[in-house]
Amino acid sequence: MPSTTATERWRTDFRYIWSGETASLFGTQILQLALPLTAITYLHATPGQLGILGAVTYLPFLVLGLPAGIFVDRWRRRPILITSNLGQMAGISAVPILAALGLLTFPLLLAAALVAGFFRVFFTIAYRSYLPVVVPTEQLTYANSRLTASESAAQIAGPGLGGLLIQAIGAQYALIADGVSYLASALSNAAVRQREPIRPRDQTPARRLVAEGFRSTLKNPYLRAFAGEAASYNLFWQAVLTLLALFAIRDLGMTPGTLGIAISVGAVGALLGAVATERIAKSVGLGRTLVAAAIIGDIAPIAVPFTPGGFWAPIVLATAFFVQGIGVTGCNVHTMVIRQTVTPDHLRGRTNATYLFLAYGIIPVGAVLGGWLGDTIGLRAALAVSTIGLFCTCLFIIFSPARRLRSLEQLVESTVPAERKQAPATPG
C-alpha cells in the first residue's frame, strides 16, 4: 500500500499536469476555431485551401510520428513536454505578429501551422507516455477522467470565448490566447517534482525499434481495434471539420461568435460523458459502456449536413455536438485507460507513436478529402458523405474484444502480469 507521502506527491504532481493541460486545452479550442477563420476571413481561403491548411497542420504526425516515438522512449519525457510547449507557442504566436506587421500570407500561415504541428507531435507522444509515470496504474481512470473533464470544459467555454475574441479583435489576433496557454502548460510541467529514472542508452537500430512499436500495436487486439477506430474516425471527422466553419458562416449565415457558442453548448455533452462514464461502466460493464458510447458518438454528426439556415442552425448544431460529445468522451476515457494498462512502460513511447501515426497521420488525408469534396460536390453533400463514413467507424469497437470486458480489474488480471514479465527492470 502506498504511503501517505507518496500519495500526496503523485496527487500534487498530477495537479500540476492537470492545470497545465487544462490551460493548453482552452487555447487549443480557440486555435481550432481561429486558425481556419484566419484563413477564411483574413486571407479569403477557398475549401481547397482549407483542406491544405488542415493537412499541413497534421502532416508532422505522418512524417515524424514514428521517429518521435523512439526519441520519447530514449529520453526523459518531462523536458520534452516543456520544450514542445515552448515550440508550439513560438509557431502560433508568429501569426498575430505577422498580421500586425501586414506580412501574413497563406504560405506563411501554413508555415506557422507546420512549426506548431512539429512540436505538437513530440508533446502528444511524450504526454501520453508520461502520465503513467506520475500516476499509479490503479488511479489512471481517475486521472484520465479528470483530464477528459477538463477537455470537455474547454470545449464548452473555449469556442465561445474564441468566437467572441474573433469578433472583437479578429481571428488572427485571437491566436495570442493560444500562445499564452502553451506558456502556462510549460510552466506547470516544469513544476512537477517526479523524476523519471535515467534510461540506459539503447543501441538498437531505429528500424527495429519502430517495428517493435508496430508489432506491439498490431498484435494486441485492443490496441489494434482502437487504432483502427481512431484512424477511420479522424479521417472522416477531419473532412467534416475542414468544411464546418465555411459551411456555418457562408451557407447557414452564422457569425463566428454564434458558431463558437453553438459548439460550446454542444460540448456540455462531452463534460457529461466524462463525469458519468466511469459510474456507468461500473454499473453495466466496461465493454457495454464502450460500445454504446462509440455508437452514440458516431451517429450524432449525421444531423450536420441537414442543418437548416437561420434561427435553427445553432440549435441543430449544438444538439448534434451535445450528443456526439457524450459518446466520444465516454469512449475516449476507457480506450485511453485500456491502452495505458496493456502497454509496458518501455514500449509506451513507440506504441503511442504507432497509434498516433495511424490515427493522426490520416488526418491530412481527411482534410484534403474534405476540401476536394467541398469543391467538387458542394458543402452539404460533402458533409453528408463524411458523416455517413464517420458512423461506420464504431464497427471497430463493436467487433473488438473490449466489448466483452466487465471491468478494468478483469483486464489487469488477464493481461498486465504477462506483459510486465517482458518489461526490463527499472532502477529504484
Side-chain angles (χ1 to χ4, degrees):
M1 180 178 295
S3 66
T4 302
T5 302
T7 300
E8 291 175 352
R9 183 168 61 246
W10 80 256
R11 286 187 182 277
T12 299
D13 285 341
F14 172 68
R15 290 189 190 104
Y16 285 129
I17 295 174
W18 188 9
S19 62
E21 181 63 5
T22 299
S24 180
L25 287 168
F26 271 84
T28 298
Q29 289 300 315
I30 296 173
L31 171 70
Q32 290 177 350
L33 189 62
L35 192 64
L37 283 176
T38 297
I40 294 169
T41 61
Y42 186 79
L43 299 174
H44 310 291
T46 65
Q49 287 178 314
L50 290 176
I52 294 172
L53 176 61
V56 166
T57 300
Y58 287 94
L59 184 63
F61 283 96
L62 181 63
V63 177
L64 299 172
L66 297 177
I70 298 174
F71 185 85
V72 168
D73 273 343
R74 284 179 168 176
W75 295 86
R76 295 183 178 182
R77 289 142 189 177
R78 178 172 163 273
I80 297 175
L81 294 174
I82 297 170
T83 303
S84 298
N85 271 315
L86 296 176
Q88 290 180 86
M89 179 186 71
I92 294 301
S93 298
V95 175
I97 293 173
L98 289 170
L101 296 174
L103 300 176
L104 183 62
T105 62
F106 187 71
L108 288 177
L109 183 66
L110 295 180
L114 188 64
V115 171
F118 170 87
F119 287 102
R120 190 177 301 114
V121 172
F122 288 91
F123 177 86
T124 305
I125 295 174
Y127 175 76
R128 298 187 182 197
S129 303
Y130 185 55
L131 188 63
V133 174
V134 176
V135 179
T137 299
E138 64 274 12
Q139 298 293 340
L140 282 174
T141 299
Y142 165 90
N144 280 291
S145 294
R146 278 143 186 81
L147 286 167
T148 306
S150 290
E151 183 176 356
S152 302
Q155 289 172 343
I156 293 170
L161 176 61
L164 294 175
L165 278 174
I166 290 167
Q167 287 194 192
I169 62 176
Q172 64 275 24
Y173 299 119
L175 290 169
I176 295 172
D178 188 43
V180 173
S181 75
Y182 290 129
L183 177 60
S185 181
L187 294 175
S188 296
N189 284 305
V192 173
R193 294 175 296 175
Q194 174 73 16
R195 296 294 183 268
E196 297 174 84
I198 297 176
R199 298 176 181 275
R201 181 65 62 182
D202 190 348
Q203 301 299 327
T204 306
R207 183 167 56 184
R208 180 178 171 185
L209 293 175
V210 169
E212 287 179 357
F214 267 99
R215 282 196 301 269
S216 178
T217 299
L218 299 180
K219 284 187 175 181
N220 187 293
Y222 298 100
L223 300 181
R224 183 172 62 245
F226 297 159
E229 189 273 341
S232 57
Y233 184 96
N234 285 344
L235 171 68
F236 293 109
W237 183 237
Q238 186 59 36
V240 174
L241 289 180
T242 299
L243 303 174
L244 180 61
L246 192 63
F247 174 66
I249 291 173
R250 293 187 182 176
D251 283 25
L252 303 183
M254 298 172 63
T255 65
T258 304
L259 176 59
I261 292 172
I263 296 173
S264 296
V265 172
V268 174
L271 179 60
L272 178 61
V275 171
T277 190
E278 184 178 3
R279 183 178 302 174
I280 295 173
K282 289 181 179 178
S283 176
V284 304
L286 175 57
R288 291 179 179 177
T289 303
L290 188 58
V291 169
I295 294 173
I296 291 171
D298 291 351
I299 198 171
I302 290 180
V304 172
F306 302 101
T307 303
F311 172 80
W312 289 102
I315 297 175
V316 173
L317 288 181
T319 302
F321 295 146
F322 177 86
V323 178
Q324 181 193 30
I326 293 175
V328 170
T329 307
C331 183
N332 285 346
V333 167
H334 296 297
T335 56
M336 178 63 72
V337 173
I338 292 172
R339 286 173 52 207
Q340 291 169 338
T341 300
V342 301
T343 306
D345 180 69
H346 73 291
L347 284 172
R348 283 196 177 113
R350 278 168 285 165
T351 55
N352 280 333
T354 301
Y355 183 91
L356 292 175
F357 175 80
L358 298 172
Y360 283 28
I362 199 69
I363 290 179
V365 180
V368 173
L369 174 65
W372 176 76
L373 286 173
D375 277 336
T376 304
I377 62 177
L379 296 180
R380 283 189 185 272
L383 288 169
V385 171
S386 302
T387 52
I388 291 171
L390 189 70
F391 174 62
C392 297
T393 65
C394 63
L395 294 174
F396 282 96
I397 301 294
I398 293 173
F399 292 106
S400 77
R403 75 181 189 276
R404 296 189 293 268
L405 286 174
R406 296 186 306 275
S407 65
L408 184 62
E409 289 72 20
Q410 176 195 357
L411 178 66
V412 171
E413 292 174 1
S414 63
T415 305
V416 173
E419 297 281 2
R420 284 178 178 167
K421 291 177 183 178
Q422 302 174 12
T426 55

